[in-house]
Amino acid sequence: MATQKQRSDATRQKLLEAFRASFLARGYEATTTQQILDETGLSKGALYHHFRSKSEIIEALYAHESRAAIDRAVENVAAHGSPLERLKASYLEWTRTVRAPDMARILFEIGPSALGEAKSKEIEARAANPPIKRLLALAIDAGEIAPPDEELLVGLLNALVAEAALHQLHTERDPLATLEVTFDAIFAAMRG
Amino acid sequence: MATQKQRSDATRQKLLEAFRASFLARGYEATTTQQILDETGLSKGALYHHFRSKSEIIEALYAHESRAAIDRAVENVAAHGSPLERLKASYLEWTRTVRAPDMARILFEIGPSALGEAKSKEIEARAANPPIKRLLALAIDAGEIAPPDEELLVGLLNALVAEAALHQLHTERDPLATLEVTFDAIFAAMRG
DNA sequence: TTTATAAACCGACCGCCGGTTTGTTTACAT
DNA sequence: ATGTAAACAAACCGGCGGTCGGTTTATAAA
């Protein structure tokens, strides 16, 4: 009937989508494998053939969402301007991007709670830090900035936008203006 | 033999200490109630007489640790100087305080993973924000600063020191200098 | 076309965990 | 002395994630 790869990809997708919906609706712990198997009409064998564990599923979903967010952000930011301007613009655009409610819940609530703060940050960093660090390096080369500890600076900036993202998720108030002022201040303070 | 209150307090403490040690050694999920009951020689009846659930235990421990950290920090900061100076000093002192490894693991790893980011932040905020907001209000009254959104500013500052605390936990590098520069820059940017 | 092999899938089953319930002991007021 | 409620004991439960032996299906070799 269908090729093996087609069957395999289809069930894998079916499982991921069902889990994603259930994680969003009920949270990680409250989502049971049995529920998903009932919904999809699949079996435990199928599930554990495709994934080693329940946590591997949220890990896959979290990684996918992290990459989607950063990709969309860099995609929408202008390629012209100074490195520092583009760095700031990327962060602000990311903050706008993660306003998508489902994305926000996976990135800030479900993923970290299920995987642990450490592991989720590591995954997030793997997706987001390369383009960030690239821009930062350009800014340093161009003499726009001279931070004492690049790693720490990236961490602090990430923490700032993450907090701002969380804040807008809970309060509906727009943190972008404050965020921009803050960035400008930090960049100014770290000029050569 | 012993008074009821003495018996009660003693077992309660015994349970909390045993859970605390196990959470630190094995993490929240990996800590089972049965293990603790074996270690302490107590029973399920005793445990669930004193606590409604396992999560209530980490909640108690997390709240205690949050208060201990902020108390120790404000205690060690000089009462003289301008409100803004004292605010900054309090944050820096807190960053130093949470270097204590056990405290750091409970505050940044175990607590948030078990209680969820939202709930743990709420508990943390209940312990830390009052003195912070008090100082911030003084600074605003004194005309030292005029932030567009006080709530957001407190959130951002908290996020900064939390990230710095996490950073020093993982890298052993001292973020205090960078943190101080950052604070000064933000405060300067938000001057009336 | 037959046949061997491995991927894909099935579902009964297992061990364990957090939490409940029923029963017993201990402190303490009357 | 006695009734009562707090403090503790431990057998028990439903449900969970994960395993395992077996079956079906696709695919490539003979």
Side-chain angles (χ1 to χ4, degrees), chain A residues 5-24:
Chain A
K5 180 155 176 38
Q6 283 171 338
R7 265 209 303 164
S8 181
D9 287 356
T11 43
R12 198 189 154 86
Q13 265 317 104
K14 211 163 159 187
L15 284 168
L16 281 174
E17 279 165 24
F19 268 104
R20 196 190 125 103
S22 183
F23 286 156
L24 285 169

Side-chain angles (χ1 to χ4, degrees), chain B residues 5 8-9 13 18 21 29 36 49 51 60 62 94-95 117-118 128 132-133 137 146 151 160 163 165 168 191:
Chain B
K5 180 155 176 39
S8 181
D9 287 356
Q13 264 319 105
E29 293 290 347
I36 267 68
H49 174 71
F51 300 96
Y62 183 81
W94 181 88
T95 306
E117 203 66 14
I132 295 295
K133 284 189 174 174
E151 198 83 25
L160 277 179
E163 174 65 24
Q168 74 186 347
R191 232 183 293 269

Side-chain angles (χ1 to χ4, degrees), chain B residues 165-178:
Chain B
L166 213 65
H167 203 260
Q168 74 186 347
L169 176 66
H170 292 347
T171 68
E172 303 286 341
R173 259 177 304 172
D174 192 335
L176 282 182
T178 301

Side-chain angles (χ1 to χ4, degrees), chain B residues 99-113:
Chain B
R99 278 176 181 157
D102 287 357
M103 183 174 257
R105 283 211 62 213
I106 291 178
L107 287 180
F108 306 133
E109 291 176 20
I110 300 162
S113 90

Side-chain angles (χ1 to χ4, degrees), chain B residues 113-126:
Chain B
S113 90
L115 299 168
E117 203 66 14
K119 180 145 199 168
S120 62
K121 271 213 174 157
E122 184 197 324
I123 296 173
E124 165 73 29
R126 193 149 42 217

